[in-house]
Amino acid sequence: MSSAAVIQRDQLLAQLREPRLWDVLVIGGGATGLGIALEAAHRGFRTALVEARDFASGTSSRSTKLIHGGVRYLAQGNLRLVREALLERARLLANAPRLVRPLQFVVPCYRPFERELMRVGLGAYDALAGKHGIGDTHWLSHADTIGALPGVKSRGLYGGVCYWDAQFDDARLAIALMRTAVRLGAVAINYVKVDQIRKKNGTIDSIVAADSLSGEQFELRAKVVFSATGVWTDDVRRMADETAQPLVTTSRGSHVVVPRSFLPGASGMMIPRTSDGRVLFAIPWHARLIIGTTDIATERATWEPSASDQEVEFILDNARYYLEAPLSTHDVSATFAGLRPLFSPYAAGSSSATKTISREHAIAIEHQNLITVVGGKWTTYRRMALDALDQAACAGLLDARPCTTGELRLDVDDAIEDAVEAAEAAALSSGVNSSGNAIEAFVGLAARHEQALSADDVISRRLRVESLDRAAATQLRPVVERALARSR
């Protein structure tokens, strides 16, 4: 039985109806927005967050599932970003250990001197972590590499290099952030969409938002409004000023999901060089193997991005070089894609490769009290929240208050997480109907404690079935819909 607090949507909506002045109003319920809301609530500010769809329904549930410093950014020479991210990695390992865990990676090496070069680079990565390191970086012989990565191609293998990073469940960590913020007094609610931003004397005066379920409208006033809307950043800014120039360039990162049998060991694999110069990861994830990601420039944002056939073939083609067993599109049980909001002011329509743009975040203050946070990555969500609130304080919009979230344990309920594992195991087996009790039990928990309102909320984010096995998700949907109907 879960001891987690029940979150009642009616009570959250009632607080939005009150004619109060919020200290902080956050638009967007992904990693960045939830991080800001949690940080603001922990500092004692009256805080509200509204999300147009479900929490983490965009990019924040479509990541490569890594909490990491960023080997790629080390190669770019961005040592400050890597060091900052490695510190945040250590904090997340301590503050959400059920959802964030160490993961050993192996880099198999097939080219002369590749192992030596990788050992130097990954040794530097390890050194930047300092006392926050997870495990030692070290050489692996030919035999040790195959032992750590059963299923890796043995022909031509010189050996490998082992290093450590962390893996996490992105959507469930977002739910933990939401639950923690609500416990601290924030109103954080999904399916409330901002329809209008009203200005008065050059300042944001109020936000008009509507409950997508009932159509009820709310006029919300706040000292400072934070926009953390990812690839929709410029759309929100143009509600306040239709002539606003773009701040964001969008790229798509896609992943394929295949059976664990291709790499049945407990380690992840890092492919150090692909045909377009990127790093590729093959990571054990639940009962499957995730391989990704790509970086494709996109012209417009969409709520449901999908991997193109070309991206799927790119991923499979690069993975085939490293896998012993033949890999084909018939082995793919699911694909998923996320859109990256990359800070690139006035670059809309640019044809330059988005992979060269830093993932480091940026903050823009407009109309005196509209603060937009763009860029960044999951690992540094807390750092982004600190910077955003510090900028608000520097602008005189909020009191300067100390940050104490570095050691704040997030609300992760073991009973709910146990129910997640049981429900996913049932859904991914061939016996969804016969194992319906585990699924129905979890649906009730998700509805009462995690603001799950639709079958997609459960199947795609509270559980991860949609991104693991599309066929299983289809079979699961009517079971979840019936359970949701009974929970209301």
Side-chain angles (χ1 to χ4, degrees), residues 65-68 71 89 93 100-108 122 125 134-141 143-150 160-168 260 263-271 281-285 289:
K65 322 304 179 193
L66 294 180
I67 294 294
H68 62 139
V71 174
R89 181 187 72 178
L93 283 164
V100 185
R101 60 194 69 85
L103 179 65
Q104 177 181 267
F105 280 88
V106 174
V107 185
L122 292 171
Y125 185 68
I134 300 173
D136 292 333
T137 299
H138 57 272
W139 306 97
L140 293 174
S141 67
D144 289 339
T145 303
I146 294 174
L149 280 180
V161 178
C162 165
Y163 76 100
W164 289 82
D165 244 322
Q167 183 180 52
F168 80 129
R260 277 286 294 277
L263 284 177
S267 299
M269 178 173 68
M270 193 260 273
I271 297 174
F281 292 97
I283 305 169
W285 177 244
L289 185 73

Short mmCIF file of all heavy atoms in Angstrom, two decimals, residues 65-68 71 89 93 100-108 122 125 134-141 143-150 160-168 260 263-271 281-285 289:
data_model
loop_
_atom_site.label_atom_id
_atom_site.label_comp_id
_atom_site.label_asym_id
_atom_site.label_seq_id
_atom_site.Cartn_x
_atom_site.Cartn_y
_atom_site.Cartn_z
N LYS A 65 17.81 8.52 -21.86
CA LYS A 65 17.74 7.93 -20.51
C LYS A 65 19.09 7.98 -19.80
O LYS A 65 19.41 7.10 -18.99
CB LYS A 65 17.22 6.48 -20.53
CG LYS A 65 16.12 6.19 -21.54
CD LYS A 65 14.91 7.07 -21.39
CE LYS A 65 13.86 6.74 -22.45
NZ LYS A 65 12.80 7.76 -22.55
N LEU A 66 19.88 9.01 -20.05
CA LEU A 66 21.19 9.14 -19.41
C LEU A 66 21.26 10.41 -18.57
O LEU A 66 20.88 11.49 -19.03
CB LEU A 66 22.30 9.17 -20.46
CG LEU A 66 22.53 7.90 -21.28
CD1 LEU A 66 23.66 8.12 -22.27
CD2 LEU A 66 22.83 6.72 -20.37
N ILE A 67 21.76 10.27 -17.36
CA ILE A 67 22.18 11.40 -16.54
C ILE A 67 23.70 11.40 -16.63
O ILE A 67 24.37 10.51 -16.09
CB ILE A 67 21.71 11.24 -15.08
CG1 ILE A 67 20.18 11.30 -15.01
CG2 ILE A 67 22.33 12.30 -14.19
CD1 ILE A 67 19.57 12.64 -15.38
N HIS A 68 24.25 12.38 -17.32
CA HIS A 68 25.67 12.28 -17.67
C HIS A 68 26.30 13.65 -17.86
O HIS A 68 25.60 14.66 -18.05
CB HIS A 68 25.83 11.45 -18.96
CG HIS A 68 25.16 12.03 -20.16
ND1 HIS A 68 25.73 12.04 -21.41
CD2 HIS A 68 23.94 12.64 -20.31
CE1 HIS A 68 24.92 12.61 -22.27
NE2 HIS A 68 23.83 12.97 -21.63
N VAL A 71 29.97 13.06 -22.84
CA VAL A 71 31.24 12.77 -23.51
C VAL A 71 31.39 13.64 -24.75
O VAL A 71 32.47 14.12 -25.07
CB VAL A 71 31.31 11.28 -23.88
CG1 VAL A 71 32.54 10.98 -24.72
CG2 VAL A 71 31.31 10.41 -22.62
N ARG A 89 24.90 15.09 -11.67
CA ARG A 89 24.73 13.63 -11.73
C ARG A 89 24.86 13.02 -10.34
O ARG A 89 24.05 12.17 -9.93
CB ARG A 89 25.78 13.03 -12.67
CG ARG A 89 25.68 11.52 -12.84
CD ARG A 89 26.86 10.98 -13.66
NE ARG A 89 28.11 11.02 -12.90
CZ ARG A 89 29.28 10.56 -13.36
NH1 ARG A 89 29.35 10.06 -14.58
NH2 ARG A 89 30.37 10.63 -12.60
N LEU A 93 21.94 10.96 -8.21
CA LEU A 93 22.17 9.61 -7.70
C LEU A 93 21.85 9.53 -6.21
O LEU A 93 21.35 8.51 -5.73
CB LEU A 93 23.62 9.20 -7.95
CG LEU A 93 23.98 8.79 -9.39
CD1 LEU A 93 25.49 8.79 -9.58
CD2 LEU A 93 23.40 7.43 -9.72
N VAL A 100 17.48 6.85 -10.53
CA VAL A 100 18.77 7.19 -11.15
C VAL A 100 19.80 6.22 -10.59
O VAL A 100 19.98 6.14 -9.38
CB VAL A 100 19.19 8.64 -10.85
CG1 VAL A 100 20.46 9.00 -11.60
CG2 VAL A 100 18.07 9.62 -11.20
N ARG A 101 20.49 5.50 -11.47
CA ARG A 101 21.41 4.47 -10.99
C ARG A 101 22.67 4.44 -11.85
O ARG A 101 22.64 4.78 -13.04
CB ARG A 101 20.71 3.10 -11.03
CG ARG A 101 20.26 2.68 -12.40
CD ARG A 101 19.29 1.52 -12.34
NE ARG A 101 18.03 1.93 -11.78
CZ ARG A 101 17.05 2.48 -12.50
NH1 ARG A 101 17.21 2.68 -13.80
NH2 ARG A 101 15.92 2.81 -11.94
N PRO A 102 23.79 4.02 -11.27
CA PRO A 102 25.04 3.92 -12.05
C PRO A 102 24.91 2.88 -13.15
O PRO A 102 24.23 1.88 -13.00
CB PRO A 102 26.08 3.50 -11.00
CG PRO A 102 25.49 3.86 -9.68
CD PRO A 102 24.00 3.68 -9.84
N LEU A 103 25.59 3.15 -14.26
CA LEU A 103 25.60 2.21 -15.37
C LEU A 103 27.01 2.17 -15.97
O LEU A 103 27.57 3.21 -16.30
CB LEU A 103 24.59 2.61 -16.44
CG LEU A 103 24.52 1.70 -17.68
CD1 LEU A 103 24.02 0.31 -17.31
CD2 LEU A 103 23.63 2.32 -18.75
N GLN A 104 27.55 0.96 -16.08
CA GLN A 104 28.85 0.80 -16.71
C GLN A 104 28.69 0.84 -18.23
O GLN A 104 27.79 0.22 -18.78
CB GLN A 104 29.47 -0.53 -16.31
CG GLN A 104 30.81 -0.81 -16.99
CD GLN A 104 31.40 -2.14 -16.57
OE1 GLN A 104 32.20 -2.21 -15.64
NE2 GLN A 104 31.00 -3.21 -17.26
N PHE A 105 29.59 1.57 -18.88
CA PHE A 105 29.64 1.62 -20.33
C PHE A 105 30.95 1.03 -20.82
O PHE A 105 31.98 1.18 -20.18
CB PHE A 105 29.51 3.05 -20.84
CG PHE A 105 28.11 3.56 -20.86
CD1 PHE A 105 27.57 4.18 -19.73
CD2 PHE A 105 27.31 3.42 -21.98
CE1 PHE A 105 26.28 4.65 -19.74
CE2 PHE A 105 26.01 3.88 -21.99
CZ PHE A 105 25.49 4.50 -20.87
N VAL A 106 30.86 0.38 -21.96
CA VAL A 106 32.05 -0.18 -22.60
C VAL A 106 32.14 0.40 -24.01
O VAL A 106 31.14 0.43 -24.74
CB VAL A 106 32.00 -1.71 -22.64
CG1 VAL A 106 33.18 -2.26 -23.46
CG2 VAL A 106 32.01 -2.29 -21.23
N VAL A 107 33.33 0.85 -24.36
CA VAL A 107 33.60 1.32 -25.72
C VAL A 107 34.44 0.25 -26.41
O VAL A 107 35.62 0.08 -26.10
CB VAL A 107 34.37 2.65 -25.73
CG1 VAL A 107 34.52 3.17 -27.16
CG2 VAL A 107 33.68 3.68 -24.84
N PRO A 108 33.85 -0.53 -27.34
CA PRO A 108 34.65 -1.52 -28.07
C PRO A 108 35.48 -0.82 -29.15
O PRO A 108 34.98 0.09 -29.83
CB PRO A 108 33.58 -2.43 -28.69
CG PRO A 108 32.36 -1.58 -28.80
CD PRO A 108 32.43 -0.55 -27.71
N LEU A 122 38.39 9.42 -21.93
CA LEU A 122 37.48 9.02 -20.86
C LEU A 122 38.13 9.13 -19.50
O LEU A 122 37.45 9.32 -18.49
CB LEU A 122 36.97 7.60 -21.12
CG LEU A 122 36.05 7.48 -22.34
CD1 LEU A 122 35.77 6.01 -22.66
CD2 LEU A 122 34.75 8.23 -22.11
N TYR A 125 37.42 12.57 -18.56
CA TYR A 125 36.00 12.63 -18.15
C TYR A 125 35.87 12.20 -16.70
O TYR A 125 35.20 12.85 -15.89
CB TYR A 125 35.21 11.72 -19.07
CG TYR A 125 33.71 11.73 -18.91
CD1 TYR A 125 32.95 12.85 -19.24
CD2 TYR A 125 33.04 10.60 -18.45
CE1 TYR A 125 31.57 12.85 -19.14
CE2 TYR A 125 31.65 10.58 -18.33
CZ TYR A 125 30.94 11.71 -18.68
OH TYR A 125 29.56 11.70 -18.57
N ILE A 134 31.85 7.81 -10.21
CA ILE A 134 31.05 6.61 -9.91
C ILE A 134 31.93 5.37 -9.88
O ILE A 134 31.78 4.50 -9.03
CB ILE A 134 29.93 6.44 -10.94
CG1 ILE A 134 29.00 7.66 -10.94
CG2 ILE A 134 29.12 5.18 -10.66
CD1 ILE A 134 27.96 7.64 -12.04
N GLY A 135 32.83 5.26 -10.85
CA GLY A 135 33.71 4.10 -10.94
C GLY A 135 34.91 4.44 -11.80
O GLY A 135 34.91 5.43 -12.53
N ASP A 136 35.93 3.62 -11.70
CA ASP A 136 37.17 3.90 -12.41
C ASP A 136 37.05 3.59 -13.90
O ASP A 136 36.42 2.61 -14.31
CB ASP A 136 38.32 3.07 -11.82
CG ASP A 136 38.68 3.52 -10.42
OD1 ASP A 136 38.45 4.70 -10.11
OD2 ASP A 136 39.18 2.69 -9.64
N THR A 137 37.70 4.42 -14.70
CA THR A 137 37.87 4.15 -16.12
C THR A 137 39.10 3.26 -16.29
O THR A 137 40.14 3.52 -15.70
CB THR A 137 38.07 5.47 -16.89
OG1 THR A 137 36.90 6.29 -16.71
CG2 THR A 137 38.30 5.22 -18.36
N HIS A 138 38.97 2.19 -17.09
CA HIS A 138 40.11 1.29 -17.23
C HIS A 138 40.07 0.55 -18.57
O HIS A 138 39.05 0.51 -19.25
CB HIS A 138 40.17 0.28 -16.07
CG HIS A 138 38.94 -0.54 -15.91
ND1 HIS A 138 37.85 -0.13 -15.16
CD2 HIS A 138 38.59 -1.77 -16.40
CE1 HIS A 138 36.91 -1.06 -15.18
NE2 HIS A 138 37.34 -2.06 -15.94
N TRP A 139 41.23 -0.04 -18.91
CA TRP A 139 41.36 -0.83 -20.13
C TRP A 139 40.57 -2.13 -20.01
O TRP A 139 40.37 -2.66 -18.92
CB TRP A 139 42.82 -1.24 -20.37
CG TRP A 139 43.83 -0.15 -20.40
CD1 TRP A 139 44.64 0.26 -19.37
CD2 TRP A 139 44.19 0.65 -21.52
NE1 TRP A 139 45.47 1.26 -19.78
CE2 TRP A 139 45.22 1.52 -21.10
CE3 TRP A 139 43.74 0.72 -22.84
CZ2 TRP A 139 45.82 2.43 -21.94
CZ3 TRP A 139 44.34 1.64 -23.68
CH2 TRP A 139 45.36 2.48 -23.24
N LEU A 140 40.18 -2.67 -21.16
CA LEU A 140 39.62 -4.01 -21.23
C LEU A 140 40.33 -4.76 -22.35
O LEU A 140 40.52 -4.22 -23.45
CB LEU A 140 38.11 -3.98 -21.52
CG LEU A 140 37.19 -3.41 -20.42
CD1 LEU A 140 35.77 -3.33 -20.95
CD2 LEU A 140 37.24 -4.24 -19.16
N SER A 141 40.70 -5.99 -22.06
CA SER A 141 41.28 -6.82 -23.11
C SER A 141 40.19 -7.27 -24.09
O SER A 141 39.00 -7.01 -23.88
CB SER A 141 41.94 -8.05 -22.48
OG SER A 141 40.94 -8.90 -21.91
N ALA A 143 39.13 -10.32 -24.51
CA ALA A 143 38.24 -11.24 -23.79
C ALA A 143 37.37 -10.50 -22.79
O ALA A 143 36.17 -10.80 -22.64
CB ALA A 143 39.06 -12.32 -23.10
N ASP A 144 37.95 -9.53 -22.09
CA ASP A 144 37.17 -8.78 -21.09
C ASP A 144 36.07 -7.95 -21.76
O ASP A 144 34.98 -7.79 -21.19
CB ASP A 144 38.10 -7.85 -20.30
CG ASP A 144 39.01 -8.61 -19.35
OD1 ASP A 144 38.68 -9.76 -19.01
OD2 ASP A 144 40.06 -8.05 -18.97
N THR A 145 36.36 -7.42 -22.93
CA THR A 145 35.35 -6.63 -23.65
C THR A 145 34.16 -7.50 -24.03
O THR A 145 33.00 -7.11 -23.83
CB THR A 145 35.96 -5.99 -24.90
OG1 THR A 145 37.07 -5.18 -24.53
CG2 THR A 145 34.94 -5.13 -25.63
N ILE A 146 34.44 -8.70 -24.53
CA ILE A 146 33.36 -9.63 -24.89
C ILE A 146 32.61 -10.08 -23.64
O ILE A 146 31.38 -10.22 -23.65
CB ILE A 146 33.92 -10.82 -25.67
CG1 ILE A 146 34.48 -10.34 -27.02
CG2 ILE A 146 32.85 -11.89 -25.89
CD1 ILE A 146 35.19 -11.41 -27.81
N GLY A 147 33.33 -10.25 -22.54
CA GLY A 147 32.67 -10.64 -21.29
C GLY A 147 31.74 -9.56 -20.77
O GLY A 147 30.66 -9.86 -20.24
N ALA A 148 32.14 -8.30 -20.92
CA ALA A 148 31.31 -7.19 -20.44
C ALA A 148 30.19 -6.86 -21.41
O ALA A 148 29.14 -6.35 -21.01
CB ALA A 148 32.17 -5.95 -20.21
N LEU A 149 30.43 -7.15 -22.71
CA LEU A 149 29.44 -6.87 -23.75
C LEU A 149 29.15 -8.14 -24.56
O LEU A 149 29.51 -8.22 -25.74
CB LEU A 149 29.95 -5.78 -24.70
CG LEU A 149 29.86 -4.32 -24.28
CD1 LEU A 149 30.42 -3.43 -25.39
CD2 LEU A 149 28.43 -3.91 -23.94
N PRO A 150 28.53 -9.13 -23.97
CA PRO A 150 28.19 -10.31 -24.76
C PRO A 150 27.28 -9.90 -25.91
O PRO A 150 26.30 -9.19 -25.71
CB PRO A 150 27.47 -11.21 -23.75
CG PRO A 150 27.02 -10.30 -22.66
CD PRO A 150 28.03 -9.21 -22.58
N GLY A 160 38.79 -2.87 -25.36
CA GLY A 160 37.84 -1.80 -25.09
C GLY A 160 38.25 -0.96 -23.90
O GLY A 160 39.30 -1.17 -23.28
N VAL A 161 37.43 0.02 -23.61
CA VAL A 161 37.61 0.90 -22.46
C VAL A 161 36.29 0.93 -21.70
O VAL A 161 35.22 1.06 -22.31
CB VAL A 161 38.03 2.32 -22.88
CG1 VAL A 161 38.17 3.23 -21.67
CG2 VAL A 161 39.31 2.30 -23.69
N CYS A 162 36.39 0.81 -20.40
CA CYS A 162 35.21 0.84 -19.54
C CYS A 162 35.16 2.18 -18.81
O CYS A 162 36.18 2.68 -18.32
CB CYS A 162 35.29 -0.30 -18.53
SG CYS A 162 34.15 -0.16 -17.14
N TYR A 163 33.97 2.79 -18.74
CA TYR A 163 33.78 3.98 -17.91
C TYR A 163 32.36 3.93 -17.34
O TYR A 163 31.56 3.07 -17.70
CB TYR A 163 34.02 5.26 -18.71
CG TYR A 163 32.92 5.65 -19.67
CD1 TYR A 163 31.99 6.63 -19.33
CD2 TYR A 163 32.81 5.04 -20.92
CE1 TYR A 163 30.97 7.00 -20.21
CE2 TYR A 163 31.79 5.40 -21.81
CZ TYR A 163 30.89 6.38 -21.44
OH TYR A 163 29.89 6.73 -22.31
N TRP A 164 32.06 4.87 -16.46
CA TRP A 164 30.78 4.86 -15.75
C TRP A 164 30.01 6.16 -15.97
O TRP A 164 30.58 7.23 -16.05
CB TRP A 164 30.98 4.65 -14.25
CG TRP A 164 31.42 3.26 -13.91
CD1 TRP A 164 32.69 2.77 -13.97
CD2 TRP A 164 30.59 2.19 -13.47
NE1 TRP A 164 32.71 1.45 -13.60
CE2 TRP A 164 31.43 1.06 -13.27
CE3 TRP A 164 29.23 2.06 -13.20
CZ2 TRP A 164 30.95 -0.16 -12.84
CZ3 TRP A 164 28.75 0.84 -12.76
CH2 TRP A 164 29.60 -0.25 -12.59
N ASP A 165 28.70 6.02 -16.08
CA ASP A 165 27.77 7.15 -16.09
C ASP A 165 26.51 6.73 -15.35
O ASP A 165 26.55 5.75 -14.61
CB ASP A 165 27.48 7.60 -17.53
CG ASP A 165 27.99 9.02 -17.81
OD1 ASP A 165 27.88 9.86 -16.90
OD2 ASP A 165 28.49 9.28 -18.92
N ALA A 166 25.43 7.43 -15.54
CA ALA A 166 24.19 7.08 -14.83
C ALA A 166 23.03 7.01 -15.81
O ALA A 166 22.98 7.73 -16.80
CB ALA A 166 23.90 8.10 -13.73
N GLN A 167 22.11 6.12 -15.50
CA GLN A 167 20.90 5.92 -16.28
C GLN A 167 19.70 6.31 -15.43
O GLN A 167 19.73 6.16 -14.20
CB GLN A 167 20.79 4.46 -16.71
CG GLN A 167 19.60 4.13 -17.59
CD GLN A 167 19.55 2.66 -17.96
OE1 GLN A 167 19.62 1.80 -17.08
NE2 GLN A 167 19.46 2.36 -19.24
N PHE A 168 18.64 6.79 -16.08
CA PHE A 168 17.46 7.18 -15.30
C PHE A 168 16.20 6.96 -16.09
O PHE A 168 16.22 6.75 -17.30
CB PHE A 168 17.58 8.64 -14.85
CG PHE A 168 17.22 9.67 -15.89
CD1 PHE A 168 16.32 10.68 -15.59
CD2 PHE A 168 17.80 9.68 -17.16
CE1 PHE A 168 15.98 11.65 -16.53
CE2 PHE A 168 17.49 10.65 -18.09
CZ PHE A 168 16.57 11.63 -17.79
N ARG A 260 16.73 -7.29 -26.01
CA ARG A 260 17.96 -7.29 -25.22
C ARG A 260 18.93 -8.36 -25.68
O ARG A 260 20.13 -8.31 -25.36
CB ARG A 260 17.64 -7.53 -23.74
CG ARG A 260 17.22 -6.27 -22.98
CD ARG A 260 18.38 -5.34 -22.68
NE ARG A 260 19.33 -5.92 -21.78
CZ ARG A 260 19.20 -5.92 -20.46
NH1 ARG A 260 18.15 -5.37 -19.90
NH2 ARG A 260 20.14 -6.46 -19.71
N LEU A 263 22.45 -7.45 -27.00
CA LEU A 263 23.49 -7.16 -26.00
C LEU A 263 22.90 -7.55 -24.64
O LEU A 263 22.43 -6.69 -23.89
CB LEU A 263 23.88 -5.67 -26.00
CG LEU A 263 24.79 -5.15 -27.12
CD1 LEU A 263 24.99 -3.64 -26.98
CD2 LEU A 263 26.14 -5.86 -27.11
N PRO A 264 22.93 -8.81 -24.28
CA PRO A 264 22.21 -9.26 -23.09
C PRO A 264 22.90 -8.95 -21.76
O PRO A 264 22.34 -9.25 -20.71
CB PRO A 264 22.12 -10.78 -23.31
CG PRO A 264 23.29 -11.11 -24.17
CD PRO A 264 23.48 -9.92 -25.07
N GLY A 265 24.08 -8.37 -21.79
CA GLY A 265 24.78 -8.07 -20.54
C GLY A 265 24.18 -6.87 -19.83
O GLY A 265 23.23 -6.24 -20.28
N ALA A 266 24.80 -6.53 -18.69
CA ALA A 266 24.30 -5.43 -17.86
C ALA A 266 24.92 -4.09 -18.24
O ALA A 266 24.50 -3.05 -17.72
CB ALA A 266 24.61 -5.72 -16.39
N SER A 267 25.90 -4.07 -19.13
CA SER A 267 26.59 -2.83 -19.49
C SER A 267 25.96 -2.20 -20.73
O SER A 267 25.39 -2.88 -21.59
CB SER A 267 28.07 -3.12 -19.79
OG SER A 267 28.73 -3.64 -18.66
N GLY A 268 26.11 -0.89 -20.82
CA GLY A 268 25.77 -0.18 -22.03
C GLY A 268 26.97 -0.10 -22.95
O GLY A 268 28.11 -0.32 -22.53
N MET A 269 26.72 0.17 -24.21
CA MET A 269 27.81 0.31 -25.19
C MET A 269 27.80 1.72 -25.75
O MET A 269 26.74 2.24 -26.12
CB MET A 269 27.65 -0.71 -26.32
CG MET A 269 28.72 -0.58 -27.40
SD MET A 269 28.66 -1.91 -28.65
CE MET A 269 27.10 -1.54 -29.48
N MET A 270 28.97 2.31 -25.83
CA MET A 270 29.12 3.59 -26.49
C MET A 270 29.84 3.38 -27.81
O MET A 270 30.94 2.82 -27.83
CB MET A 270 29.88 4.59 -25.61
CG MET A 270 29.77 6.02 -26.13
SD MET A 270 31.21 6.55 -27.05
CE MET A 270 32.23 7.17 -25.71
N ILE A 271 29.20 3.77 -28.90
CA ILE A 271 29.81 3.71 -30.22
C ILE A 271 30.47 5.05 -30.47
O ILE A 271 29.78 6.07 -30.61
CB ILE A 271 28.74 3.39 -31.29
CG1 ILE A 271 28.13 2.01 -31.03
CG2 ILE A 271 29.32 3.49 -32.69
CD1 ILE A 271 26.96 1.67 -31.94
N PHE A 281 24.70 5.41 -28.59
CA PHE A 281 24.65 4.57 -27.40
C PHE A 281 23.69 3.40 -27.64
O PHE A 281 22.66 3.54 -28.29
CB PHE A 281 24.15 5.36 -26.19
CG PHE A 281 25.10 6.42 -25.72
CD1 PHE A 281 24.95 7.74 -26.11
CD2 PHE A 281 26.16 6.09 -24.88
CE1 PHE A 281 25.82 8.72 -25.68
CE2 PHE A 281 27.04 7.07 -24.44
CZ PHE A 281 26.87 8.38 -24.84
N ALA A 282 24.06 2.24 -27.09
CA ALA A 282 23.17 1.08 -27.01
C ALA A 282 23.04 0.75 -25.53
O ALA A 282 24.03 0.36 -24.88
CB ALA A 282 23.72 -0.10 -27.79
N ILE A 283 21.83 0.91 -25.00
CA ILE A 283 21.66 0.92 -23.54
C ILE A 283 20.58 -0.08 -23.12
O ILE A 283 19.47 -0.06 -23.66
CB ILE A 283 21.24 2.34 -23.07
CG1 ILE A 283 22.25 3.38 -23.55
CG2 ILE A 283 21.10 2.39 -21.57
CD1 ILE A 283 21.78 4.79 -23.36
N PRO A 284 20.89 -0.94 -22.14
CA PRO A 284 19.84 -1.80 -21.60
C PRO A 284 18.77 -0.97 -20.92
O PRO A 284 19.08 -0.10 -20.11
CB PRO A 284 20.58 -2.70 -20.60
CG PRO A 284 21.82 -1.93 -20.25
CD PRO A 284 22.18 -1.13 -21.46
N TRP A 285 17.53 -1.22 -21.30
CA TRP A 285 16.43 -0.39 -20.76
C TRP A 285 15.23 -1.29 -20.54
O TRP A 285 14.64 -1.78 -21.48
CB TRP A 285 16.11 0.73 -21.74
CG TRP A 285 14.97 1.63 -21.35
CD1 TRP A 285 13.79 1.78 -22.03
CD2 TRP A 285 14.90 2.48 -20.21
NE1 TRP A 285 13.00 2.68 -21.37
CE2 TRP A 285 13.65 3.13 -20.25
CE3 TRP A 285 15.77 2.75 -19.15
CZ2 TRP A 285 13.25 4.03 -19.28
CZ3 TRP A 285 15.37 3.65 -18.18
CH2 TRP A 285 14.13 4.28 -18.25
N LEU A 289 16.54 -3.05 -25.47
CA LEU A 289 17.79 -2.35 -25.73
C LEU A 289 17.46 -1.11 -26.55
O LEU A 289 16.87 -1.21 -27.63
CB LEU A 289 18.75 -3.25 -26.50
CG LEU A 289 20.17 -2.71 -26.76
CD1 LEU A 289 20.99 -2.71 -25.47
CD2 LEU A 289 20.86 -3.53 -27.84
#
